[in-house]
Amino acid sequence: TPRLGERRSPDAGIAGAWALLPLGSCEAHGPHLPLDTDVVISETLAVRAAVALSETGTPAVALPTLPYGVTTSAAPFPGTLNVPAALVTGFVVEILCSAVDNGAVGLVLVNSHFEPAHVDALFRAAEQVRARTGRPVVYPNFASRRYAARLGAEFASGACHAGSFESSLVLAVRPNGVGDRASLPEVPIDLAAALRAGARDFKEMGATQGYFGRPADGSAAEGDALYAEMTRIVMEAVHAARG
């Protein structure tokens, strides 16, 4: 898997490149997906986007992944580990500012953990890094209306935690990490709407097994198509920032 320094001179490091920071969480994803589902997705996407950018003339590298985030909605389920929002913001700020000190010309947050407090923490980090460094900081928030419609009907519906969307993305790169999902019924609950209505966690929303959507519908082929579309979104955001 291409990582920091590959496809470039071994001594080049980050200098002159866009640095892509993958961000995830340690969070329950139903009875069929691993705790590091968001880590797997963000890391895979960051690597693919870095390679694609480099091949189109924008040097880019994928940094090592930050695998923890703000994670309270899945708290009732074992294995979920939460980091306070202020710490997430501060840690991301220091990582990205250090990347600039090492010569990064631009920065990208590649995030697939969409808990609102986590997303807000990342937007705050991006603002602080821009203010401190003067470098462009790109954060394409896939959960925004601008992008959600491009990622399939289930994702756009808001029922996008451990359903066919995330099952497909994990199947495409780690098929042995996906458990039995054929018998899991659809849970057609809009996660974002439930949060706005005041629900505090997945169980209060009605997701008694910690997933939403249709896990049984996921496929590796769909996962590859989703990675391709998400890579295009990252590239568009970087090119727009450069322009």
Side-chain angles (χ1 to χ4, degrees):
T1 302
R3 297 196 183 277
L4 179 61
E6 292 193 19
R7 293 181 178 258
R8 310 182 72 228
S9 170
D11 60 354
I14 304 173
W18 281 72
L20 283 69
L21 176 62
L23 298 136
S25 69
C26 180
E27 177 185 48
H29 281 75
H32 59 295
L33 290 178
L35 294 173
D36 65 344
T37 289
D38 297 335
V39 175
V40 171
I41 295 170
S42 294
E43 188 170 276
T44 302
L45 176 58
V47 169
R48 294 190 183 195
V51 171
L53 285 165
S54 297
E55 290 178 342
T56 56
T58 301
V61 293
L63 300 174
T65 306
L66 181 59
Y68 299 95
V70 185
T71 311
T72 59
S73 294
F77 298 94
T80 299
L81 303 179
N82 178 56
V83 177
L87 288 180
V88 172
T89 295
F91 204 39
V92 171
V93 167
E94 296 307 323
I95 291 170
L96 297 185
C97 287
S98 185
V100 171
D101 291 342
N102 277 269
V105 298
L107 307 155
V108 185
L109 298 177
V110 180
N111 174 59
S112 58
H113 175 53
F114 306 122
E115 186 153 337
H118 182 75
V119 171
D120 290 345
L122 298 184
F123 274 120
R124 286 194 294 272
E127 292 171 0
Q128 292 179 30
V129 174
R130 291 188 197 102
R132 275 178 56 173
T133 68
R135 293 288 196 278
V137 183
V138 172
Y139 175 27
N141 177 21
F142 297 110
S144 67
R145 290 185 179 180
R146 179 180 182 182
Y147 298 124
R150 296 171 60 175
L151 301 178
E154 182 194 80
F155 191 87
S157 75
C160 53
H161 180 81
S164 64
F165 174 79
E166 288 189 318
S167 295
S168 295
L169 290 167
V170 178
L171 282 167
V173 294
R174 195 198 284 178
N176 292 336
V178 180
D180 180 26
R181 57 204 164 80
S183 62
L184 295 177
E186 180 181 4
V187 179
I189 296 172
D190 185 332
L191 176 56
L195 286 170
R196 289 194 299 270
R200 293 171 296 180
D201 58 52
F202 290 165
K203 285 190 174 181
E204 286 193 3
M205 297 174 198
T208 57
Q209 294 190 73
Y211 74 88
F212 300 77
R214 304 177 305 277
D217 290 354
S219 69
E222 178 65 14
D224 283 329
L226 287 167
Y227 278 121
E229 185 62 23
M230 294 164 83
T231 297
R232 282 190 285 271
I233 289 171
V234 172
M235 294 179 70
E236 291 167 8
V238 170
H239 291 153
R242 290 186 67 198

